[in-house]
Amino acid sequence: MNFSFESKVALVTGAGSGMGLATAKAFAEAGAAVMLADISENSVRSAAEELVSVGHKAIAVRCNVADEAEVAAMIEQTVFTFGRLDAAFNNAGVQSPAIETADASGEEFERVHAINLRGIWNCMKYELRQMREQGSGAIVNCSSIGGLIGLPGRAIYHSSKFGVIGLTRSAALEYASRGIRINAVCPGAIETPMVADMVAKGWISMDDMVSGNPMKRLGQPEEIASAVLWLCSPGAGFVTGQALSIDGGATA
């Protein structure tokens, strides 16, 4: 399926690498003007410059999604530059090492939830204010298969991702009659710098990820991007409040 986002404006957080970068590129290639946001200013500006160099409309901003004021400024800059906001992929997130719940620190819990859950809430709040004014828009939040299942030692990360689905479904019902759709994607193990970092730190084994997947491979960032664009497109016009697993069958 070919997606067209001509004359549309898209925002992607965590756009400096991995799934966010792949989705920002996909939106741009489909004709959208794109705001790329990431806490890594160098990577996100480089990505935006690359898109502009091949004829796309893109700008970049450094944004810590855990900071509500920075998120508000990001949305304000997007609308000031492009005039509106039609689609958003709230993708920024962090991982956490496996540890027994009784041994986990409060500091780690707060760090992960500030980015993975509060960050999604911050972004949705200001995206929805703009979309509510327009009377239209589509939001996709990045949860995880960790938002659908539990795993030993992963309570901090999984609770943040379960929370994303709760935010998604509740907000979807609030705005379903007002032209705004809100969904979530739940990626499994995807070949991204974050997963490579987890392997390098010994948090997870590449062999375990591949052998434990029914498709016997990792997913690709572009496969997540395709799902996000579909959810933001008219083709998914009757889809809202859903948590779409993209995991090679891992949660089947």
Side-chain angles (χ1 to χ4, degrees), residues 49-61:
E49 288 168 3
E50 181 180 338
L51 289 174
V52 171
S53 72
V54 293
H56 300 305
K57 295 179 182 178
I59 59 172
V61 63

Side-chain angles (χ1 to χ4, degrees), residues 21-221:
L21 178 56
T23 303
K25 287 181 176 179
F27 271 125
E29 290 166 359
V34 186
M35 165 63 89
L36 292 82
D38 199 286
I39 199 166
S40 172
E41 184 170 9
N42 289 339
S43 62
V44 78
R45 292 200 182 280
S46 176
E49 288 168 3
E50 181 180 338
L51 289 174
V52 171
S53 72
V54 293
H56 300 305
K57 295 179 182 178
I59 59 172
V61 63
R62 182 197 178 279
C63 182
N64 174 8
V65 296
D67 187 317
E68 186 174 345
E70 289 192 20
V71 170
M74 171 183 68
I75 302 301
E76 183 178 5
Q77 184 177 349
T78 303
V79 176
F80 177 81
T81 304
F82 296 126
R84 56 185 297 113
L85 178 62
D86 299 291
F89 180 35
N90 298 322
N91 166 69
V94 293
Q95 272 288 350
S96 184
I99 188 170
E100 283 192 30
T101 301
D103 298 323
S105 71
E107 291 80 8
E108 180 66 1
F109 183 93
E110 296 295 342
R111 180 187 74 89
V112 172
H113 281 73
I115 298 168
N116 289 1
L117 186 54
R118 175 63 188 264
I120 295 283
W121 182 83
N122 285 341
C123 290
M124 286 177 63
K125 176 178 179 177
Y126 291 95
E127 291 159 359
L128 285 167
R129 287 184 177 185
Q130 174 62 31
M131 292 177 177
R132 183 175 61 184
E133 184 177 325
Q134 296 170 185
S136 65
I139 295 172
V140 178
N141 296 321
C142 193
S143 181
S144 165
I145 61 170
L148 301 171
I149 61 172
L151 283 176
R154 305 288 289 155
I156 289 178
Y157 177 77
H158 285 222
S159 63
S160 72
K161 292 301 188 176
F162 266 82
V164 169
I165 294 176
L167 282 176
T168 298
R169 287 180 168 161
S170 295
L173 296 176
E174 291 175 8
Y175 293 93
S177 65
R178 290 187 265 180
I180 303 168
R181 297 183 300 101
I182 308 168
N183 293 287
V185 288
C186 299
I190 309 298
E191 192 172 346
T192 65
M194 180 181 286
V195 169
D197 184 60
M198 291 172 66
V199 172
K201 291 177 177 176
W203 294 358
I204 194 167
S205 160
M206 182 66 73
D207 288 343
D208 287 346
M209 283 190 292
V210 172
S211 65
N213 188 281
M215 289 190 177
K216 305 304 179 188
R217 68 174 179 88
L218 298 186
Q220 296 301 308

Side-chain angles (χ1 to χ4, degrees), residues 1-18:
M1 181 183 294
N2 292 323
F3 303 110
S4 175
F5 286 86
E6 293 291 339
S7 302
K8 302 296 184 181
V9 178
L11 163 70
V12 180
T13 67
S17 65

